[in-house]
Structure formats: structure tokens, C-alpha cells
Amino acid sequence: MNTIQSVLLSCRKVAVLVMGTAAIICSSTVMAAEAAHVLIIQDHRFQPAELVVPSGKKIKLSVENRDSTPEEFESHDLNREKVIAGKSTATIFVGPLAPGRYSFYGEFNEKTAQGVIVAQ
Amino acid sequence: MFATAVIVFREVLEAAIIIGIIAAATRSVAGRSRWLIAGLAAGLAGSALVAASTDAIASMASGIGQELFNAIVLGIAVLMLAWHNIWMSSHGAALAKSAKSVGNAIRDGQQECSILLVVVGLAVLREGSETVLFLYGISTSDGSGASSMLLGGLAGIVGGVTAGYAIYAGLLRIPMRWFFAATGVLVLLLAAGMAAQAARFLIQADILPSLAAPLWDTSVALPERSIAGMLLHSLVGYDPRPAGMQLIFYVFTLAAIGLGMKWVSQSHRTNHHKGTA
């Protein structure tokens, strides 16, 4: 097989992959669950500190930072990190989650900003 | 103070490792220090800008601006690193033969330098903007001990830079025969790790499906916050709980750059043989 043939072949592979990805993207955005679960950051604490969500479906978190300082929502259990500027709200998608407890924290104020998401 | 030092250290370490590897990989390029310093300065200026406009970036694209921004920055860096590696492999044969011909091979490396400047700038931009925000938050909080916190931040920066320099110095000790192969592999893994991180941001923004999340969980054996976990995360993109999509991005990037390098070095060799025959 010469180079040109192998280039053509891999081009075709890439094209198939791109098309497949596009199809998956389209289907996933259609499926996106739109009911947002609200978390509030105030005085470097999360409210509620324990948020109950349904397991097995995609979760839309809406995190509202009422402090004037920025905070970074971070969770190793959920594999998520997002900076939230002071006085602003951020959206984070997580899941679908298996039933269990997933802890998260505010990296900029770790001492006080601790919370857990419970998937049931 | 210690907590602050650790957070800043983590951010700085990631950028410092990237800069250390790139500084080593371009050891023989004339005037690369100037380029590296320019990239660093541009990155720092940019991170202050990004930090200041966090609000604006975040509210773009209906709340997923930050993820898109991060994914685009990472994507550009991946492309630049890919270009660097493929360009280097076209000169690989000459470089491996003797260190002397390196100068000739890379005399046309000015363009190459501008590419790496972009990678350095982007690395500093991404990690720096978070550090700036974090330190800003501390310095404006009315709590006492802001000065000790900032001191911690300084300690973190010094620690991160030291680690990056240690990697650079360690790479320079590799014998010339294997040096370009070694830095080539490091840059390749760096690019794949960045691609996987970009995928994670796109999953977080609900633009890409996660495809099995997590694919595996090694957070107990090797947590991401341990020193080894941090180093591996920066070097090869280690993630204790990756989503399937992240692995696809990782493997695809490895394969694409690896194949590109192979083709270029092969076609370069055949041209070379034809020329001397």
C-alpha cells in the first residue's frame, strides 16, 4: 500500500469518526435534562450542604455565588472544576450518577466551603 | 498559608512542567530564551485579563463560556505541539546523527519558536488566570492573615517554578543520541493529556457525551492531589476518574500525531535517498 492510499484510507476513517461524533452530539443535546438543581455559595459556604438528586440521569447544577469573591467549584468524585466569579451564577452538568455520595468543595475556601451530592 | 501554597503550587506546576519540557526540546534553537520569556510575559498579561473578565467569559454561550474558552485554549496548544513534533521528526534523521548538524537543521527554526511561544503563553494563561483570581479573592477578603496567605502563594510559585526547572535540568542530562526521541515522546504525551482535558471541559458543558463515566476509578490508589498524581496529571494527563470520551480524545491525539511523525520522517528519508542517489 503506498502512502497516498493509506492517507486516503485514514481520511475516510476520520470522516466516519467526525460524522459519528456529530450524530452523538446532536442526540445528547436533545436529551439534556433541563431541571436545574440550585446550589448557593454564601459566606464561603454551600447551601444546601447536602443536595439530593435522582440517580441515573443527567443533572444540571446551577451554582449561585452570592459572595463578592470568586470561588472554584471542585469535585474529584464528580471530576468537575469550574471558577465562579463573585456575584454570579454558573451552570455545571454532572452525571448520570450511580447511587451514592459525591463530595465537592470550594477550592478557594476549602475550610468552610464543603458539600456533598447524594444520588438516590 | 500552607493550603494557599499547595493550591498555587498545583497551578504553577502544570505551567512550569510544560515550559520545562519545551525549553529542553528547543535547547539548540538560537534565541529561544527570548521567545520563552516573551511567551511567559504574554501569558501573564493574558491571565490578568482573563481573570478580570471571568464574569464576561462565563456568561458567554449561555453559561458554558468558561468551558469553551478552556477547551479552545487547550485545543490550540495541542495543535501547536503536534506541529512541533511533526516538524522535528522531519529533521530527526539529521538531529540524531550528530549534535553539530542541529544548528543547521534548526537555523530555519524561527517560525518554530513562534509556535512554541504560543504554547508557553497559553499554558501560563490557563493556569495563571485561576491563580490570579484565587490570590485576588484572598487579598480582598476581610479576614485576617491575608499577608500570610499571599506569602503562601509566593512559596507556591517558587515551588512550582523549581519543579519545572528540575524537569528541564533533568532532561538536559539525557545523552544527545536519545534526547530528541525522549523530548518527542514527552511532547506527544503532553498533547494527548491536554486533548483529554479539553474533552472533560466539553463534557462538563454538555457539548459532548461522557460515554461511560467514570471509565475506571484509581482515586484511592493514586489520588490526583498526591504529589505523584499531580506530576502525572501534568506530564501525561493522568485522570483518576476519566470518562470514556476523554480516553477517545487521548488515544486519537496520540495516534494522529504519532502517524504524522512517522509519515513525515519516512517521506523525508526517501527524498533524502533520492537526492543522494
Side-chain angles (χ1 to χ4, degrees), chain A residues 6 10 24-25 29 32 58 69-70 72 76-77 79-83 85 88 91-93 105 107-108 110, chain B residues 7 10 54-55 63 66-67 130 133-134 137 140 200 203-209 225 239 241 246 263:
Chain A
S6 56
S10 54
I24 294 168
I25 291 171
T29 22
K58 198 179 289 170
T69 53
E72 181 167 21
H76 297 291
D77 294 356
N79 202 358
R80 291 289 178 268
E81 56 178 327
K82 181 155 185 164
V83 176
S88 71
T91 305
I92 302 168
F93 287 91
Y105 60 96
E107 198 188 24
F108 293 172
E110 213 178 316
Chain B
I7 290 173
R10 258 213 313 264
T54 300
D55 227 352
Q66 196 182 109
E67 284 86 353
E130 276 182 31
L133 269 179
F134 173 60
T140 54
R200 196 187 70 171
I203 295 165
Q204 182 170 311
D206 199 32
I207 291 173
L208 284 181
R225 303 192 86 179
D239 189 327
R241 293 188 188 83
Q246 286 177 261
W263 274 333

Side-chain angles (χ1 to χ4, degrees), chain B residues 9-84:
Chain B
F9 173 73
R10 258 213 313 264
E11 301 286 354
V12 173
L13 179 72
E14 205 154 334
I17 283 178
I18 293 167
I19 296 169
I21 292 174
I22 286 176
T26 56
R27 68 191 291 185
S28 41
V29 180
R32 61 152 187 159
S33 317
R34 268 204 315 263
W35 285 100
L36 287 174
I37 290 165
L40 192 66
L44 285 173
S47 58
L49 264 176
V50 171
S53 48
T54 300
D55 227 352
I57 291 175
S59 54
M60 274 178 209
S62 57
I64 55 167
Q66 196 182 109
E67 284 86 353
L68 287 180
F69 175 82
N70 276 322
I72 290 168
V73 165
L74 284 162
I76 295 171
V78 169
L79 288 175
M80 300 281 167
L81 291 173
W83 191 89
H84 163 80

Side-chain angles (χ1 to χ4, degrees), chain A residues 88-118:
Chain A
S88 71
T89 304
T91 305
I92 302 168
F93 287 91
V94 297
L97 300 172
R101 297 172 66 84
Y102 301 85
S103 64
F104 59 85
Y105 60 96
E107 198 188 24
F108 293 172
N109 299 283
E110 213 178 316
K111 274 206 184 82
T112 52
Q114 293 280 350
V116 69
I117 285 177
V118 182

Side-chain angles (χ1 to χ4, degrees), chain B residues 57-216:
Chain B
I57 291 175
S59 54
M60 274 178 209
S62 57
I64 55 167
Q66 196 182 109
E67 284 86 353
L68 287 180
F69 175 82
N70 276 322
I72 290 168
V73 165
L74 284 162
I76 295 171
V78 169
L79 288 175
M80 300 281 167
L81 291 173
W83 191 89
H84 163 80
N85 252 15
I86 292 168
W87 183 88
M88 281 300 271
S89 60
S90 75
H91 294 70
L95 293 175
K97 218 179 294 174
S98 79
K100 235 185 275 178
S101 59
V102 168
N104 307 338
I106 313 199
R107 194 154 299 157
D108 53 342
Q110 285 307 315
Q111 190 189 6
E112 161 73 0
C113 265
S114 56
I115 290 277
L116 291 173
L117 172 137
V118 175
V119 176
V120 168
L122 291 176
V124 174
L125 179 80
R126 237 172 51 77
E127 308 299 333
S129 58
E130 276 182 31
T131 314
V132 169
L133 269 179
F134 173 60
L135 293 176
Y136 161 81
I138 287 172
S139 59
T140 54
S141 66
D142 40 345
S144 60
S147 61
S148 92
M149 290 280 230
L150 289 174
L151 205 66
L154 199 64
I157 291 174
V158 170
V161 170
T162 308
Y165 184 80
I167 285 182
Y168 167 74
L171 283 174
L172 289 192
R173 298 180 68 97
I174 298 174
M176 225 23 180
R177 266 176 305 161
W178 302 306
F179 179 79
F180 290 103
T183 51
V185 168
L186 276 176
V187 169
L188 186 63
L189 292 169
L190 214 54
M194 284 183 184
Q197 277 189 62
R200 196 187 70 171
F201 281 114
L202 293 174
I203 295 165
Q204 182 170 311
D206 199 32
I207 291 173
L208 284 181
S210 54
L211 303 184
L215 199 57
W216 65 70

Side-chain angles (χ1 to χ4, degrees), chain A residues 1-115:
Chain A
M1 194 160 74
N2 63 24
T3 318
I4 293 173
Q5 272 176 321
S6 56
V7 169
L8 278 175
L9 192 71
S10 54
C11 279
R12 220 171 14 192
K13 275 186 198 154
V14 169
V16 169
L17 206 117
V18 168
M19 279 190 268
T21 314
I24 294 168
I25 291 171
C26 293
S27 61
S28 80
T29 22
V30 171
M31 285 184 347
E34 280 309 311
H37 297 261
V38 180
L39 272 174
I40 292 166
I41 300 168
Q42 198 160 16
D43 302 327
H44 308 318
R45 288 175 197 284
F46 285 106
Q47 298 165 351
E50 194 166 292
L51 182 69
V52 179
V53 301
S55 64
K57 54 190 266 197
K58 198 179 289 170
I59 303 295
K60 181 181 181 181
L61 289 178
S62 183
V63 189
E64 185 192 338
N65 183 2
R66 291 186 183 168
D67 291 343
S68 54
T69 53
E71 184 56 272
E72 181 167 21
F73 176 94
E74 180 142 348
S75 170
H76 297 291
D77 294 356
L78 297 163
N79 202 358
R80 291 289 178 268
E81 56 178 327
K82 181 155 185 164
V83 176
I84 305 159
K87 305 281 181 204
S88 71
T89 304
T91 305
I92 302 168
F93 287 91
V94 297
L97 300 172
R101 297 172 66 84
Y102 301 85
S103 64
F104 59 85
Y105 60 96
E107 198 188 24
F108 293 172
N109 299 283
E110 213 178 316
K111 274 206 184 82
T112 52
Q114 293 280 350

Side-chain angles (χ1 to χ4, degrees), chain A residues 76-77 79, chain B residues 214-226 228-229 232 237-242:
Chain A
H76 297 291
D77 294 356
N79 202 358
Chain B
L215 199 57
W216 65 70
D217 188 344
T218 50
S219 56
V220 177
L222 186 57
E224 202 181 335
R225 303 192 86 179
S226 64
L232 281 174
Y238 169 72
D239 189 327
R241 293 188 188 83

